[in-house]
């Protein structure tokens, strides 16, 4: 157990530095344009380590409540990191993954909601979003030391993937023997939603929650705060798009965030194609705007695998807009967009 925690510390440190560099290079820029309506309401922000990356919380609340609200947001981030991540052996997801096929009963509302979003995303993406790829994700090792695995190893762990391995009803879940979940493509978005809801329920007038680039923002009816969000260009590191939002969520995925390039120049990124077991290629960046960050996060990952053809087919009730930047074999980028 001690060894696992030490490893988590090492992974987090690498990821933190990575995300810090991203934010310094304007990966996600946020600022509030309007000032609070009443002098007793102030805007405060807090930037922290969370979920193996960085988080930014911005709230507008009465002056005497901001610390209490931000502290409760931090506590929920720490709780969901523990329960939905794979690094704490006492966490709910870890206990499920090590249950050897036994059912986990009376699961938390958080795990139940992440599973519901994950299964919805799997359904609408023809399983290109696959939350049951734990063994495959571990094999590629993107969380520690990524390397090209043997193709036979890919084939054998791929056989343990797929949502057919998950039995879920509203308060219990079981996995087929050998299967493990990895919620890395949806947990940050879901956590942003949960923390945002908590901030408003604790009295914030408006809030923006960003976790590793996945964002949920908005406010109480009538506040209409305008949030300006910059999206990182997948190759130059500059800003490829500026989004303006009052209420909603935005998530990005791409081949640039966690990847390695071999001596032939082939790029291998951490978004894996469940059909082949290999990283996606041909999509440099996906940005999904949606009502909530959980579904935006999951869809962005799936579209990175399925490309424009998947983005064309998704039900438009699930999103506000999708932007896909494709990359051809010569490295040329091309932008495609659909509004929901
Ligand atoms: P980021 O974590 O950088 O925001 P994503 O949201 O796209 O990026 O999530 C990528 C992570 O999701 C991977 O590191 C892996 O843990 C997991 N994953 C990779 N491919 C898939 C997939 N096709 N479906 C579901 N989860 C995936
Ligand atoms: Mg995602």
């Amino acid at each position: 157990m001690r060894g696992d925690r030490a490893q988590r510390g090492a992974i987090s440190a690498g990821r933190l530095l990575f995300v810090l560099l991203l934010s310094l290079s304007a990966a996600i820029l946020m600022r509030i344009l309007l000032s609070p309506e009443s002098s007793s309401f102030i805007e405060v922000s807090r930037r922290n380590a969370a979920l193996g990356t960085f988080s930014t919380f911005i709230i507008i609340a009465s002056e005497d409540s901001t610390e209490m609200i931000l502290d409760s947001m931090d506590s929920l981030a720490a709780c969901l990191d523990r329960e939905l991540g794979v690094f704490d052996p006492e966490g709910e997801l870890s206990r499920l993954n090590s249950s050897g096929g036994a059912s986990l009963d009376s699961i938390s509302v958080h795990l139940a909601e992440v599973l519901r979003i994950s299964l919805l995303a799997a359904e609408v993406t023809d399983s290109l979003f696959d939350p049951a790829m734990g063994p495959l994700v571990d094999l590629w090792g993107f969380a520690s030391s990524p390397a090209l695995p043997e193709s036979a190893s890919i084939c054998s762990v791929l056989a343990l993937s797929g949502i057919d391995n998950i039995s879920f009803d509203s308060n219990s879940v079981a996995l087929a023997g050998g299967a493990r979940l990895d919620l890395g493509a949806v947990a940050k978005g879901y956590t942003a939603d949960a923390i945002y809801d908590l901030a408003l329920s604790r009295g914030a007038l408006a809030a923006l929650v960003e976790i590793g680039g996945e964002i949920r923002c908005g406010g109480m009816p009538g506040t209409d705060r305008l949030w300006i969000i910059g999206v990182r260009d997948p190759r130059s590191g500059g800003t490829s798009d500026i989004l303006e939002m009052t209420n909603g969520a935005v998530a990005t995925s791409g081949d640039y965030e966690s990847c390695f390039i071999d001596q032939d120049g082939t790029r291998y990124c951490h978004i894996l194609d469940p059909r082949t077991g290999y990283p996606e290629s041909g999509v440099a960046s996906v940005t999904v705007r949606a009502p909530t960050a959980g579904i935006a996060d999951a869809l962005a990952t799936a579209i990175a695998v399925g490309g424009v053809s998947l983005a064309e087919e998704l039900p438009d009730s699930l999103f506000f807009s999708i932007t896909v930047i494709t990359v051809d074999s010569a490295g040329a980028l091309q932008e495609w967009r659909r509004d929901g």
Side-chain angles (χ1 to χ4, degrees), residues 55-77:
S55 66
T56 305
F57 304 153
I58 305 174
I59 59 168
I60 297 170
S62 67
E63 201 164 356
D64 56 0
S65 68
T66 54
E67 285 303 301
M68 176 277 289
I69 295 172
L70 286 169
D71 288 348
S72 68
M73 294 165 82
D74 278 341
S75 298
L76 183 56

Side-chain angles (χ1 to χ4, degrees), residues 1 40 55 57 59 85 104 155 182 190 200 310:
M1 187 186 298
S40 67
S55 66
F57 304 153
I59 59 168
L104 198 66
C155 285
D182 179 291
Y190 171 75
L200 265 55
L310 173 63

Side-chain angles (χ1 to χ4, degrees), residues 129 184-186 214 252-253 296-301:
F129 180 87
V186 62
E214 323 300 15
T252 57
S253 283
D297 194 2
L299 292 182
T301 303

Side-chain angles (χ1 to χ4, degrees), residues 8 16 48-55 57 77-78 81 188 195 211-212:
R8 173 67 195 270
L16 291 181
N48 258 332
L51 285 85
T53 177
F54 273 124
S55 66
F57 304 153
D81 186 15
K188 288 194 290 296
I195 293 174
I211 300 178

